[in-house]
Amino acid sequence: MLPFGNNLCPEVHVGQTAHQIQDCQGPGNVNRRSFHSWVKGSVNDVLIPIESYHLFDPFGHRIKHETRFDYDRIPAVVELCIQAGVELPEYPSRRRNQPIRMLGKKVIDRGGFVKDPKRKPPSPSSPLTELDTYWAHVGQFPPPSASDIPRLAQETLDAYEKVRFGVRKLMNKYSVKACGYCSEVHVGPWGHDAKLCGAFKHQWRDGKHGWQDATVDEVIPPNFVWHVQDPGGSPLRGALKRFYGKAPAVVELCTQAGAIVPVKYKPMMRLDIVVPDTDEARLVA
Ligand SMILES: [Zn+2]
Ligand SMILES: [Zn+2]
C-alpha cells in the first residue's frame, strides 16, 4: 500500500489504488470533474509536520514579529518534551528550581529574565536529525522485506499510540496554544506575536494568530483518510461513500500493512459494514 498525496488539495489516500471519490476542492477541480490529482505521498502526508518556536524560557519575553528569526522552529512535540525535561544540547532550556508565581494569567515572579544562550547549529549526530522526515522521504531507509512488514506496522502503530498518550498527559501540565484560524501551534503559557496568520479575516487581526488552548489533534493532526476494507478490491467510489469509514492516516497505513486495529478506531472505520457493489447501492432506498 502507498500513501497518495496530492499537490492541489490536502486530501491523502492510503491504498494500492487511489480513490475515485469526486470531492476535490483544489484549483482546477472543475476541469477534473472534482477527481483528485494524485501523486506519490510522503511521510509528511501521513504525519503532518507541526513545528513551533523553541523557547529557552517559555515564561520569558514574548516572541514579537520582529524577533521571530531569533528562534528556531522545531517539531512541536519535541518542544513540548524539552519543556517537560528532555535535554537536547542544541536546544537548551531554562530549568528553574523555584516555581513561577502566577496570579491568574499574570506572572508575579518568574525569577527574573535570563538572556537566551547563543544558538548553536544542530550537530549531525543529534537525535533530531532522525526526525527529519525529508531524508526518510528521499530514501534514507531501504524498503523493508515483506516478512518484516506486519511487525513494523504493529510497532509503528504502537509507537503512534504511545506518543499520542504521552502528549495528552504532558499537555495537562504544560500549556500548548493553537491558532483557532490556522495550524500554528505554540508551546508555552501564551502565544507569540509573529504576524503570520494568513487565515480567515487575518486583515482584521493584523495577521496575528487567534490563540486558544490546543487539543492533542492540533499538535498531532490525525489526518483522517478513507478506510479501505479490501485493499485488493476495486477503488473507492463516490456512490458508496456513505458506507465507508475513516481512520487517521497512520492507523490506516499500519492496518493495511498488517497491524491489529485498536478498539477505539473500529467504530469510525465502520469495520462491520458490508459495502455493497455499486449496482446494489442504487437499489438501496
Ligand atoms: Zn484533491
Ligand atoms: Zn493563525
Side-chain angles (χ1 to χ4, degrees), residues 178-184 194 196-199 202 205 207-211:
C179 176
Y181 300 97
C182 76
S183 59
E184 181 72 4
L196 298 171
C197 191
H202 61 95
R205 289 176 274 119
K208 282 191 184 173
H209 295 286
W211 297 112

Side-chain angles (χ1 to χ4, degrees), residues 6 9 11 24 36:
N6 203 311
C9 82
E11 180 84 358
C24 187
H36 293 278

Side-chain angles (χ1 to χ4, degrees), residues 14 225-229 247-257 269:
V14 178
V225 297
W226 292 109
H227 169 55
V228 181
Q229 264 193 29
V250 176
V251 176
E252 180 63 18
L253 180 68
C254 294
T255 303
Q256 288 189 30
M269 289 166 83

Side-chain angles (χ1 to χ4, degrees), residues 1 142-153 256-258:
M1 80 299 317
S145 68
S147 59
D148 260 355
I149 288 177
R151 180 186 55 81
L152 201 59
Q256 288 189 30

